[in-house]
Amino acid sequence: MSEPKAPTPAPGDTYKGWLFKWTNYIKGYQRRWFVLSNGLLSYYRTQAEMGHTCRGTINLATANIAVEDSCNFVISNGGTQTYHLKASSEVERQRWITALELAKAKAFRMQAESDDSGDDSTPPAAGQGAGSRNSEVQSTLRTLGSKVEDLSTCNDLIAKHGSALQRSLSELEGVRLGGETSEKIRQVTERATLFRITSNAMINACRDFLALAQTHSKRWQKALQAEREQRVRLEETLEQLAKQHNHLERAFRGATVLPASQSNPAIDSKGPVSGKGDASDEDEENEFFDACEDVQEFITVPADPKYHRRSGSNVSGISSELGMDDGTTSLDEQSLASNPESPQSQELVPVRKRRTRIPDKPNYSLNLWSIMKNCIGKELSKIPMPVNFNEPLSMLQRLSEDLEYYELLDRAAKCQSSLEQMCYVAAFTVSSYSTTVHRTGKPFNPLLGETFELDRVQESGYRSLCEQVSHHPPAAAHHAISERGWTLRQEIALASKFRGKYLSIMPLGSIHCIFEKSTNHYTWKKVTTTVHNIIVGKLWIDQSGEIDVVNHKTGDRCHLKFAPYSYFSRDVARKVTGVVTDKDGKAHYVLSGTWDEKMEYSRVMQSSRGGENGADGRQKTVYQTLKAKELWRKTPLPEGAENMYYFSTLALTLNELEEGVAPTDSRRRPDQRLMEQGRWEEANAEKQRLEEKQRTVRREREREANRAASPSEEGKESADRAEEVEIASEPSETTYKSGHQDNYKSMWFEQLVDPVTGEPTHIYKGGYWEAKEQGNWDSCPDIF
């Protein structure tokens, strides 16, 4: 490792060289390039970064420099910034100390001259800490206060001596000329002298006060100007960062990980680095280099340019994508635009105007004692949970939000290739999580027999129905059918595990999507949702796990991986990657993106073993791909969403009252409606009433079902303990597959063994939409 052998610099000279900087206990000391110029010490990871990326700067005018041992020294500006540095030798350390002391002395003199002069001066650097400025202001205030006290004392003395002088003059007027005349005159003279001295002292104190005020007034004006200039510099820096971010995004679309021959020359120019890695404590979050490490299962690189000029005849029916490389519209977008059944061209029937706002969320504080005082002497399973933890939607409505981006299934229905169709289905599975990123509120647990319909035939061509088919374990069945040629059905039960600091929610059950034209049948399961900071801190949500989307007709498969958040990872947060393969395991598409923003797909032209070794020691697969194309992008949240539970445009309409819906529809649930209106106390009371009503109905249903069998007292007590709506025992995979135990017969779904997965599941049996047309809801139970 060669270090610069520059001589000891003269005052004002720029000094550069390598030093080792302490980063953290994991990385230790890391080699950095330091530059000393104009009283500022800045550092960079490499010399190549000097033109665009400064990692940190400290102002020496207010800094303390301390030597620890033969090679180590510390630079600190009062606590906000501290650099622990180490030179390669004692001689090199002494060179740096000499240069730093000279630069500090010069910077201090320049600052003092700037403070004394009335001209505009160079503003303090952005790296100067706020601690020194605060102490300086406090010192100024103490000085000004002292001067004010001096003025007050002088004022009292002037009043006192002035009165005495006045009395002496009065006495002098009444004195006859004689022996005591000289004594009186002497007293008057003394009084006048004291008064003159005090007056002079007051005048001097006033002069000092005014001078000090004028001096600091100039400094405050210059400080204000410095802040303005600093803001301008920050705005310019932010603009540069935005441009760099866009550049990195474009580079990322071209290649997730570049091969060694195409790596950044700026990185290649780095000198040898420590084996612990080259990460800094200040810029860990802003680092974008080497983003993909051994967490990825594959590597993608740009395909050879010759593939971009090939015809689409041998591309498994995906001629549209190769045509998109020259800026043309994809085949599916053209077919959707020209389709007479598409929503863009079908404007004969007026579309209902949906609401775009709900009442703002009240800022109610949660008093834990108000909850616990009502639970004394009760069983844990009977503790009522307040609506403070909820959002004004039920779980059935949240399940219907999976259709937020139904257009993906519309496009998939028109695909000629099952592999391209798989890409759209995979993007649809990811899009269903986009609404959860800020939604930390818990949806209302549906009552047994509760339903929710989502009729969007006029606007979007589909209609959806959900029903709570079981309460023990809690499970909901969902069926949606579209005029565009697809059907979606699922039955989801939720299992949760409380881990202390976070809560894991594991959905159980499969989701089915069937396309009418191609008869392709897809299935997949949901990933685990984790709610962090349950006890202390701000709640935040993460999705993690793996999904296998399977086409049971063709054998095609898409393996999606939701990367869990990691504090130590340099990768993009909420990342999702996937590979679409055929029945023989050959890769055709690579998917990438994030579950809260967008998904892209790239056509695989060639694959090979190589690249870095994975976590299990095996070599990763390297895919040569065409330029990435966007499959899906999240629609921005409506204005003011942060005050409306972060609801999306669709979520805002889900609880809107509609005529003709079933009496069991979630829109008619009174506690949920009261919460939406901001009447939380009434909502809590109504919620407890509904829970107690459901317990009573369940006990009656159990007695009716078990009357002939004469159940044991133990069995009866066990049934009574499983009544709570909000805190029910969580289902396991085994419990879920073994069937439901509520002795409840669903109104609109029937339980069958799924012919594809072999699992017991509830499938829509029909009759709901016909009952709605006739207005015949006589068979619906009274659950509200």
Side-chain angles (χ1 to χ4, degrees):
M1 178 170 62
S2 62
E3 301 294 341
K5 301 297 183 181
T8 302
D13 286 355
T14 299
Y15 192 58
K16 305 177 182 178
W18 291 101
L19 288 172
F20 290 91
K21 178 181 178 296
W22 176 262
T23 57
N24 52 53
Y25 285 100
I26 297 178
K27 300 290 186 179
Y29 282 96
Q30 296 296 316
R31 195 167 180 258
R32 299 289 182 261
W33 180 256
F34 280 81
V35 177
L36 174 60
S37 178
N38 297 326
L40 302 177
L41 180 65
S42 306
Y43 76 95
Y44 310 83
R45 283 202 173 186
T46 64
Q47 293 172 284
E49 283 190 348
M50 290 178 60
H52 54 84
T53 307
C54 177
R55 301 293 176 173
T57 301
I58 192 169
N59 187 0
L60 295 179
T62 58
N64 296 321
I65 304 173
V67 177
E68 290 188 333
D69 53 31
S70 60
C71 296
N72 292 25
F73 58 101
V74 178
I75 303 175
S76 174
N77 67 349
T80 57
Q81 286 179 295
T82 301
Y83 293 171
H84 295 266
L85 305 177
K86 182 169 67 174
S88 59
S89 65
E90 186 174 359
V91 175
E92 185 64 24
R93 186 219 66 188
Q94 189 57 45
R95 288 175 178 167
W96 275 103
I97 292 297
T98 303
L100 291 169
E101 292 290 356
L102 292 173
K104 177 182 177 181
K106 183 175 180 180
F108 184 80
R109 286 196 305 270
M110 292 176 61
Q111 183 175 358
E113 293 173 359
S114 173
D115 292 342
D116 293 338
S117 66
D119 299 333
D120 290 339
S121 61
T122 303
Q128 184 174 355
S132 60
R133 293 181 180 178
N134 186 52
S135 61
E136 182 180 358
V137 171
Q138 295 296 331
S139 176
T140 302
L141 292 176
R142 286 194 297 269
T143 304
L144 291 176
S146 175
K147 293 298 181 182
V148 170
E149 290 179 0
D150 292 345
L151 289 176
S152 178
T153 303
C154 290
N155 181 66
D156 294 338
L157 291 174
I158 287 175
K160 177 181 177 181
H161 294 303
S163 300
L165 180 60
Q166 184 66 35
R167 288 195 304 269
S168 298
L169 292 176
S170 299
E171 292 174 358
L172 182 60
E173 291 178 356
V175 172
R176 296 178 181 180
L177 294 177
E180 57 183 59
T181 302
S182 58
E183 180 65 22
K184 293 296 183 181
I185 293 175
R186 187 181 60 81
Q187 292 181 3
V188 171
T189 303
E190 289 178 356
R191 302 290 185 185
T193 302
L194 289 174
F195 185 78
R196 186 184 72 252
I197 294 173
T198 306
S199 300
N200 289 337
M202 180 176 181
I203 292 172
N204 291 334
C206 290
R207 185 183 298 112
D208 293 342
F209 180 85
L210 291 176
L212 187 62
Q214 290 173 355
T215 300
H216 284 284
S217 175
K218 295 177 181 178
R219 296 189 61 185
W220 290 332
Q221 290 177 2
K222 288 185 289 184
L224 178 60
Q225 181 64 23
E227 293 295 336
R228 290 174 179 170
E229 295 177 0
Q230 184 178 1
R231 185 188 66 182
V232 172
R233 289 196 301 273
L234 289 175
E235 291 175 352
E236 293 175 352
T237 303
L238 183 60
E239 183 179 359
Q240 293 177 1
L241 289 175
K243 292 179 180 178
Q244 292 179 11
H245 178 72
N246 292 334
H247 174 73
L248 289 172
E249 276 193 341
R250 291 194 295 270
F252 177 78
R253 293 191 187 103
T256 305
V257 176
L258 295 175
S261 61
Q262 301 179 12
S263 61
N264 192 336
I267 300 176
D268 293 341
S269 65
K270 290 192 296 187
V273 296
S274 171
K276 294 183 180 180
D278 197 11
S280 171
D281 50 345
E282 291 92 353
D283 44 76
E284 192 72 32
E285 295 181 355
N286 297 329
E287 181 60 37
F288 295 100
F289 306 113
D290 303 329
C292 299
E293 301 176 7
D294 57 351
V295 295
Q296 259 194 283
E297 298 177 350
F298 57 86
I299 301 175
T300 61
V301 298
D304 193 281
K306 65 181 181 180
Y307 290 114
H308 292 271
R309 296 188 294 270
R310 291 172 55 187
S311 66
S313 58
N314 59 341
V315 187
S316 304
I318 318 294
S319 59
S320 61
E321 179 176 342
L322 295 180
M324 291 170 65
D325 290 334
D326 55 6
T328 58
T329 307
S330 69
L331 177 62
D332 293 322
E333 291 175 352
Q334 292 176 353
S335 60
L336 280 174
S338 60
N339 179 24
E341 296 180 359
S342 64
Q344 289 86 351
S345 60
Q346 189 178 23
E347 299 181 355
L348 299 178
V349 180
V351 178
R352 173 179 174 176
K353 185 177 180 180
R354 306 285 179 179
R355 69 180 183 181
T356 58
R357 289 197 61 84
I358 61 173
D360 289 351
K361 179 181 178 180
N363 188 18
Y364 291 151
S365 60
L366 180 61
N367 187 352
L368 293 178
W369 170 244
S370 65
I371 302 174
M372 300 305 298
K373 69 180 181 180
N374 297 322
C375 305
I376 298 175
K378 293 186 178 180
E379 297 181 18
L380 181 62
S381 62
K382 301 297 178 66
I383 297 177
M385 299 301 292
V387 299
N388 303 60
F389 297 104
N390 290 58
E391 63 178 18
L393 289 179
S394 74
M395 191 62 200
L396 302 181
Q397 291 165 316
R398 283 289 291 268
L399 199 60
S400 301
E401 283 190 70
D402 285 358
L403 299 171
E404 176 97 23
Y405 298 97
Y406 67 92
E407 301 95 338
L408 292 169
L409 297 182
D410 290 348
R411 295 180 184 178
K414 297 185 176 299
C415 290
Q416 301 298 321
S417 164
S418 62
L419 293 169
E420 186 179 13
Q421 188 177 74
M422 173 69 80
C423 292
Y424 283 106
V425 174
F428 176 78
T429 67
V430 176
S431 70
S432 63
Y433 297 98
S434 64
T435 61
T436 66
V437 61
H438 299 297
R439 302 274 290 277
T440 57
K442 175 183 177 295
F444 281 78
N445 277 7
L447 304 175
L448 189 61
E450 185 175 335
T451 61
F452 177 73
E453 68 162 71
L454 185 62
D455 192 348
R456 293 292 191 268
V457 172
Q458 293 185 9
E459 302 99 315
S460 309
Y462 72 87
R463 52 179 29 165
S464 161
L465 176 66
C466 293
E467 182 182 358
Q468 185 77 359
V469 295
S470 173
H471 173 59
H472 186 68
H478 180 208
H479 181 270
I481 187 170
S482 172
E483 296 178 345
R484 314 267 169 78
W486 54 265
T487 300
L488 184 77
R489 61 178 175 87
Q490 58 182 318
E491 181 180 350
I492 298 296
L494 297 179
S496 62
K497 292 183 179 180
F498 181 62
R499 308 285 187 177
K501 293 179 63 177
Y502 63 91
L503 177 69
S504 296
I505 303 172
M506 291 79 70
L508 308 176
S510 299
I511 305 172
H512 299 252
C513 185
I514 304 99
F515 292 95
E516 180 181 349
K517 183 177 180 180
S518 61
T519 67
N520 287 330
H521 189 144
Y522 297 86
T523 62
W524 65 91
K525 296 179 181 290
K526 289 181 174 288
V527 296
T528 298
T529 299
T530 306
V531 184
H532 294 268
N533 295 339
I534 294 292
I535 303 299
V536 178
K538 182 178 180 181
L539 293 175
W540 61 279
I541 291 177
D542 192 25
Q543 312 285 352
S544 60
E546 299 181 1
I547 295 178
D548 280 312
V549 185
V550 181
N551 185 340
H552 293 273
K553 178 183 177 182
T554 63
D556 301 338
R557 182 181 295 267
C558 177
H559 181 74
L560 293 171
K561 182 176 181 179
F562 289 65
Y565 172 81
S566 173
Y567 179 80
F568 299 101
S569 175
R570 301 181 188 177
D571 217 340
V572 60
R574 309 181 184 98
K575 184 176 182 180
V576 181
T577 56
V579 180
V580 176
T581 58
D582 58 21
K583 63 179 180 180
D584 299 322
K586 180 182 178 181
H588 291 262
Y589 289 94
V590 170
L591 307 181
S592 62
T594 57
W595 54 263
D596 68 322
E597 183 180 359
K598 66 177 180 179
M599 287 296 294
E600 296 176 336
Y601 71 127
S602 305
R603 175 69 198 279
V604 176
M605 306 309 298
Q606 188 175 346
S607 63
S608 61
R609 288 286 179 181
E612 306 171 5
N613 290 335
D616 54 359
R618 296 180 301 177
Q619 284 188 320
K620 298 179 182 179
T621 303
V622 179
Y623 296 118
Q624 294 188 22
T625 63
L626 296 180
K627 185 178 179 181
K629 301 296 178 183
E630 189 173 276
L631 273 171
W632 159 78
R633 178 177 291 273
K634 179 184 176 181
T635 303
L637 293 176
E639 184 179 357
E642 65 277 4
N643 299 321
M644 299 184 293
Y645 308 90
Y646 287 97
F647 281 177
S648 64
T649 302
L650 174 63
L652 288 174
T653 67
L654 294 181
N655 207 42
E656 185 177 10
L657 289 172
E658 294 186 14
E659 296 181 359
V661 299
T664 55
D665 196 274
S666 298
R667 299 176 180 88
R668 301 183 182 274
R669 182 163 174 166
D671 54 348
Q672 187 172 298
R673 179 67 56 189
L674 289 169
M675 182 192 178
E676 181 185 285
Q677 296 171 354
R679 300 154 63 183
W680 285 16
E681 292 186 3
E682 299 175 59
N684 280 320
E686 189 64 26
K687 181 171 176 289
Q688 294 184 32
R689 182 189 68 81
L690 292 175
E691 292 171 359
E692 185 58 38
K693 180 178 180 180
Q694 177 164 265
R695 295 188 196 102
T696 303
V697 172
R698 179 183 173 91
R699 284 192 289 266
E700 183 64 28
R701 187 167 55 248
E702 290 287 345
R703 281 193 290 267
E704 291 290 336
N706 297 331
R707 184 170 298 167
S710 299
S712 64
E713 188 66 23
E714 179 182 358
K716 181 174 179 295
E717 292 178 357
S718 176
D720 288 344
R721 284 194 299 267
E723 304 302 326
E724 174 59 32
V725 171
E726 297 293 343
I727 309 180
S729 59
E730 303 294 352
S732 63
E733 187 73 28
T734 304
T735 305
Y736 173 74
K737 290 183 178 180
S738 65
H740 307 293
Q741 306 164 5
D742 284 300
N743 296 315
Y744 169 76
K745 185 176 182 181
S746 170
M747 285 291 301
W748 314 110
F749 293 82
E750 58 181 343
Q751 188 174 24
L752 302 171
V753 176
D754 191 280
V756 175
T757 63
E759 299 175 350
T761 185
H762 280 80
I763 299 178
Y764 179 62
K765 62 183 179 181
Y768 179 87
W769 304 107
E770 293 78 7
K772 181 181 179 181
E773 290 180 1
Q774 300 171 6
N776 182 12
W777 303 113
D778 296 338
S779 57
C780 291
D782 178 19
I783 61 174
F784 299 143

